[in-house]
Amino acid sequence: MSFDRLWADLAPVGRSADSGGYHRYTWAGADTDARAWFTEAAAARGLDLRTDRNGNLWAWWGTPGPGAVATGSHLDSVPDGGAFDGPLGVASALAAVDELRERGFTPARPLVLGVFVEEEGGRFGVPCLGSRLTTGEIGPARARALTDASGVTWERAMADAGLDPEGVGPDPELLSRLDVFVELHVEQGRALEDTGHPVGVAGAIWPHGRWRMDFTGRADHAGTTRLEDRNDPMLPFAHTILAARALAEQHGARATVAKSLITPNGTNAIPSLVSAWLDARAADQATLSAVVEGVREVAERTAREHGVAHTMAAESTTPLVEFSHDLRDRLAAVVGARAAESAGPVPILPTGAGHDAGVLSAHVPTAMLYVRNPTGVSHSPQEWARPEDSHAGVLALADVLQDLLAVPGGVS
Ligand SMILES: [Zn+2]
């Protein structure tokens, strides 16, 4: 299957020799190389490649225009991320085109393969930035001013990549061309390993978000400053991390503090500032709010107790996403037709992970396929899909696309 060649060509791009994890950050070296890999693969297939105003890539099979079926994912990674989150959907889309052509299938309407930029928010902090810009969920002025860890703006990075940042913004023309979007993605849990299915279909995406917290204290000497004289921001920060965990357990939600910046970050100096990010997700909005407000309360109270100032603000939030039920059931039926009868119905899986498909779903009928991940681990070098499951994913995607492409535009 052509998937293996595509995957082998992409595998070394941005992979750390030490950890085996990936470092692909938007508009920087490895991400640029991964985009070049896609561009070459599209050209080799005679697809018409376009870069949209926000830097997303679109490779068209058939004349670009309305009524299109779209599929794809992203190529950027979290720091030291896994190989599959994003790239599996892109490589599978390309391989599905090959599969459909081998079948001698002729689409009745255009197919377009998309690669969204900055899905992970790994460089500029806002996840699904490419799709959020396209749908207008984030404004161009805010996006252009976003900065990476070294202060480079989105505007500057985009210009350095040879693209025009002036054009950034909503793209209703592009959206109006898409009749349906299907994203294939590695599963970010172990549900399919438990049910014994290589491929599942997405249910809802939990509401989720990122909140930035700043604890501002006073720098001082670790040896000479009496404990009672300190304004040490690490202490309320520590309380807050533990509270996030406890609140998530109490509410059946997820809460994580995985990123923090400590100033000045010296061994023998009490810090003046701790900036940290809370990532929280829950099955419904009320539960999510309860967790986040609970964390805020503890952060404020413990900051006050230690004479530390505290602020907390949402950097991005995503409401509950319910994918189109018609489309979801249609995918499940198509995928189920290939599965062994003994396997039982194709699982419909809710997830706590955000995706471009979730952002698009408010504008275009959208669905997702998940490919089994035996480790259940994601955003880590341990993330994995067996080669035979990746192949099953390609075939499932090809079946689904064939079903959708067999009829002219206007279906959803
Ligand atoms: Zn992803």
Side-chain angles (χ1 to χ4, degrees), residues 15-35:
R15 185 171 56 199
S16 156
D18 297 331
S19 68
Y22 284 84
H23 295 263
R24 294 177 181 149
Y25 308 121
T26 303
W27 311 130
D31 180 65
T32 305
D33 294 344
R35 287 163 67 88

Side-chain angles (χ1 to χ4, degrees), residues 219-272:
D220 213 328
H221 194 291
T224 60
T225 316
R226 296 186 310 170
L227 295 180
E228 60 268 34
D229 292 342
R230 299 179 179 199
N231 305 112
D232 182 350
M234 286 296 259
L235 300 171
F237 175 45
H239 282 291
T240 303
I241 297 173
L242 294 172
R245 168 67 186 228
L247 284 155
E249 280 177 11
Q250 183 190 327
H251 290 276
R254 309 265 157 81
T256 309
V257 180
K259 177 176 173 179
S260 61
L261 298 170
I262 294 157
T263 310
N265 211 21
T267 311
N268 56 359
I270 297 161
S272 56

